[in-house]
Amino acid sequence: MHFASIKNCDIANGVGVRISLFVSGCTHHCHNCFNQEAWDFNYGQEFTKTQEDQIIDLLKPDYIAGLSLLGGEPMEDLNQKGLLPFVKRVKQIYPNKTIWCYSGYTYEYLLEKSKTQEYTKELLSLIDVLVDGKYVEELHDLSLRFRGSSNQRIIDVPKTLQQNEIVLWQEGK
């Protein structure tokens, strides 16, 4: 797996101050995507233990709320394979920090995919909030918090898995 960048002290991609990992590789190719260079699976650098350790260290301060996974597309098969062991490690070391994931895939698609793809179900179970759906330029709305277009949902993944129906994330709950 390759990554495009690691952002320290990001306040745009989830609640609180976060560390954001922008993975490389995306097959959606959304029109006017803000990160088109990351469509290429070989863009940037290889994600190694060095970068894992860097992010683990960046997550350490109490004022850091958690980790956000963006792209590219974190839920592409190749990226899931690379992210799963890392996300498990983050959850083990920092069980009280949240993990947000931005995906062009819908939750329903990922749930269906989890029946045949070996990493999807476990990775989903480690994510606290999923911002799902492709960016649609015609639905772009600058007033939306944590998403680019109005078709995208902010899903509380643990509650959704528990209740077996989509539960939208509500700040503070």
Side-chain angles (χ1 to χ4, degrees):
M1 180 182 89
H2 282 74
F3 74 101
S5 64
I6 297 168
K7 303 276 190 226
N8 188 12
C9 296
D10 183 354
I11 58 169
N13 295 301
V15 171
V17 180
R18 313 186 65 75
I19 307 304
S20 291
L21 171 62
F22 289 79
V23 301
S24 296
C26 182
T27 58
H28 300 304
H29 298 182
C30 300
H31 181 66
N32 282 336
C33 170
F34 81 100
N35 202 10
Q36 290 183 21
E37 61 274 2
W39 290 354
D40 181 350
F41 282 87
N42 293 311
Y43 179 77
Q45 302 174 48
E46 185 176 348
F47 189 69
T48 66
K49 187 163 183 332
T50 300
Q51 285 79 31
E52 281 192 25
D53 292 344
Q54 175 190 4
I55 294 171
I56 294 292
D57 190 52
L58 290 170
L59 285 164
K60 190 173 188 174
D62 289 339
Y63 65 86
I64 300 294
L67 173 68
S68 293
L69 305 171
L70 304 97
E73 172 58 71
M75 298 306 281
E76 294 283 3
D77 292 349
L78 181 65
N79 290 335
Q80 287 185 50
K81 183 178 180 181
L83 285 173
L84 181 59
F86 171 61
V87 171
K88 286 168 74 172
R89 184 175 172 210
V90 169
K91 277 292 193 182
Q92 180 181 8
I93 296 170
Y94 301 113
N96 296 321
K97 297 198 185 249
T98 59
I99 296 181
W100 281 53
C101 180
Y102 286 75
S103 177
Y105 294 111
T106 63
Y107 176 83
E108 293 83 357
Y109 175 86
L110 292 171
L111 196 61
E112 188 62 32
K113 186 177 183 173
S114 73
K115 296 174 184 173
T116 57
Q117 211 286 347
E118 64 180 306
Y119 307 106
T120 307
K121 184 175 184 177
E122 189 172 6
L123 188 54
L124 267 178
S125 75
L126 297 169
I127 294 169
D128 296 291
V129 176
L130 176 70
V131 180
D132 81 335
K134 293 179 183 180
Y135 170 73
V136 177
E137 184 177 32
E138 295 78 22
L139 300 175
H140 179 77
D141 183 346
L142 287 173
S143 71
L144 297 172
R145 193 164 182 211
F146 305 129
R147 55 197 173 128
S149 56
S150 61
N151 62 298
Q152 296 171 311
R153 302 174 294 183
I154 304 175
I155 298 171
D156 183 320
V157 177
K159 287 181 181 175
T160 294
L161 289 170
Q162 181 183 34
Q163 296 179 24
N164 204 27
E165 65 180 8
I166 299 291
V167 177
L168 297 180
W169 172 81
Q170 295 179 6
E171 192 163 2
K173 293 185 180 184

